[in-house]
Amino acid sequence: MKKKFLAAIAAGLIASAPFTATNAAPAQDKETIYQVALLQSLTMGYFDGSVTVKDLKTHGDTGIGTFEGLNGEMIVLDGVVYQANQDCKINIMRDKDTVPFSNVTFFDKDFSVKLTNVADKESLEKIFSEQVDKHGRNSFYMIKLSGTFKEILVRSEAGAKEPYPTLVEALKTQKELTLENVDGTIVGLYCPDFMSSLNSTGWHFHFITADKKLGGHVLGLNLANGEAQFDKTDAFNMNVPKKNNFHTLNFNQDLKEDIRKAEQDSVKKN
């Protein structure tokens, strides 16, 4: 009887014990860029989703990417995964939706820069790159730029059907939208030069309006004022798709021009 009584007391103490480091939820890794597949595989037309939105959110609360079938542009902000659809209208994606390419991190501000009257995207990239040179050009940087834009040009695209075209072919039907005098946030990623075979080097920007109604991949801008927050990150983790068709891709080719076209080209006539 005495043994049973002592065992009951012990069980009660265990049941009422607070969570410890061994049974608490794992801490967020705030110093790693998590990448799904490669921009090069996306460029070749590998649009199959390899992770779910639910899984992606366990690796970061801020980032960019796209969805299975190249179904719109992804903006991850404050832990919410948004899609800018073909009409550049914003939707919140479901946990079960899948992702063929993305970069996310748990955003942890290291420094910030106030900005005024930045006339174009090239000028913004120059300002940002000066910060990269100052803080370490061989690190990754995720940025959040919140501000008022005199004008910003964004694009998005509709999902493609199998057999998938290349990225450049798929983007021939992209729709573009010019927004004027609008508040919003640019989420951007800087990849150092050594990432040239895994992603695009330099800057890549996606945008979402403050009211979470419109957005897309940034092709041009004119910033009135704002503040850019920088998260310098030195670790990198990549998910390699498990499907057999990923392993038939030939990465021994030069895709730089295709990536440049996909990143920068506008279908609007000047």
Side-chain angles (χ1 to χ4, degrees):
M1 178 66 106
K2 185 176 180 181
K3 288 183 179 179
K4 289 183 180 179
F5 178 71
L6 292 174
I9 292 175
L13 289 173
I14 292 169
S16 62
F19 284 130
T20 65
T22 57
N23 57 17
Q28 293 176 347
D29 179 0
K30 294 190 174 184
E31 298 304 327
T32 298
I33 294 289
Y34 175 77
Q35 179 167 302
V36 179
L38 299 80
L39 183 58
Q40 283 72 4
S41 56
L42 195 75
T43 301
M44 287 187 275
Y46 189 83
F47 300 163
D48 286 353
S50 58
V51 304
T52 64
V53 165
K54 181 179 181 179
D55 181 56
L56 186 71
K57 289 189 290 188
T58 68
H59 294 281
D61 59 13
T62 306
I64 55 179
T66 187
F67 301 96
E68 181 162 350
L70 199 71
N71 187 16
E73 300 286 343
M74 176 194 293
I75 308 101
V76 186
L77 184 63
D78 299 326
V80 181
V81 179
Y82 298 98
Q83 173 213 42
N85 69 13
Q86 184 183 22
D87 297 314
C88 298
K89 294 180 179 179
I90 295 296
N91 300 305
I92 296 176
M93 298 303 279
R94 303 166 299 177
D95 281 350
K96 69 179 183 180
D97 292 320
T98 58
V99 177
F101 177 72
S102 179
N103 289 96
V104 296
T105 191
F106 286 107
F107 196 88
D108 186 24
K109 185 183 81 170
D110 290 308
F111 60 94
S112 62
V113 176
K114 291 189 180 297
L115 302 163
T116 305
N117 295 325
V118 182
D120 51 42
K121 181 169 171 276
E122 292 72 25
S123 298
L124 183 67
E125 290 181 356
K126 183 175 183 294
I127 293 169
F128 284 178
S129 294
E130 288 171 354
Q131 292 298 316
V132 166
D133 288 340
K134 177 180 177 181
H135 291 273
R137 64 184 304 168
N138 287 327
S139 293
F140 296 87
Y141 294 82
M142 191 72 77
I143 65 100
K144 293 192 292 187
L145 164 56
S146 296
T148 299
F149 295 81
K150 297 176 184 177
E151 184 175 287
I152 187 163
L153 172 63
V154 296
R155 72 108 196 274
S156 194
E157 58 285 329
K161 303 295 183 182
E162 294 184 274
Y164 294 130
T166 65
L167 180 59
V168 170
E169 288 297 316
L171 290 177
K172 286 182 177 179
T173 59
Q174 73 187 37
K175 291 186 179 180
E176 299 175 12
L177 179 66
T178 300
L179 302 171
E180 298 180 345
N181 301 315
V182 63
D183 292 337
T185 300
I186 286 177
V187 177
L189 174 69
Y190 170 86
C191 286
D193 289 342
F194 61 73
M195 286 288 292
S196 60
S197 62
L198 300 177
N199 204 324
S200 62
T201 60
W203 294 101
H204 187 137
F205 301 135
H206 288 188
F207 175 75
I208 187 168
T209 56
D211 60 10
K212 307 299 190 293
K213 291 184 177 179
L214 297 167
H217 173 93
V218 178
L219 293 171
L221 60 83
N222 186 337
L223 175 69
N225 57 75
E227 180 177 86
Q229 298 182 352
F230 290 70
D231 180 7
K232 179 183 178 182
T233 305
D234 290 322
F236 176 78
N237 181 14
M238 189 174 79
N239 173 281
V240 177
K242 296 179 175 62
K243 292 184 178 180
N244 289 335
N245 57 346
F246 176 83
H247 295 278
T248 65
L249 296 175
N250 175 21
F251 289 102
N252 189 25
Q253 54 182 303
D254 187 353
L255 298 167
K256 290 180 182 177
E257 179 60 16
D258 284 351
I259 290 173
R260 186 205 63 76
K261 289 179 180 179
E263 290 289 308
Q264 302 178 24
D265 282 3
S266 169
V267 296
K268 284 184 176 288
K269 304 300 182 184
N270 295 321

